[in-house]
Amino acid sequence: MEKTDKSFEEIEKILQDVGKKIEHLIEKGAEASAELRDEIEEKIEELKGKRDSLEKEFEERKAYYKEKYQGAREEVEPRVSESLKYLKEAFQALGNAINALMKSSKE
């Protein structure tokens, strides 16, 4: 999940950068002539809409993957715990077998 979290963080950073670039365009638009200003403002609104759409989709997918991961983890965790129990028992049996061999070789 750590890799996925890093991916989400990278995407969030990209979205923040897009937001900063839009703000930069707004500043430049304020300095432009009236004719260009209308065109720039239209483009800015279009970009804001796309950014909002991307952010919404990103949050939905992030929630989906977290839910999917949590569900898979809850499903697998009991099996892992049970497997660990059997693994411990196997090592104990192996240790007992080695001790028995050591005792029989001394006699």
Side-chain angles (χ1 to χ4, degrees), residues 12-30 40-41 43-48 51 55:
E12 286 175 332
K13 186 175 187 263
I14 290 169
L15 289 172
Q16 289 172 352
D17 289 343
V18 168
K20 288 177 186 175
K21 288 178 182 179
I22 290 173
E23 293 301 320
H24 183 69
L25 283 174
I26 291 171
E27 291 172 9
K28 286 198 174 231
I40 290 172
E41 286 178 5
K43 191 66 172 176
I44 288 169
E45 290 304 315
E46 182 183 325
L47 289 172
K48 281 183 178 180
R51 181 196 63 193
E55 286 176 347

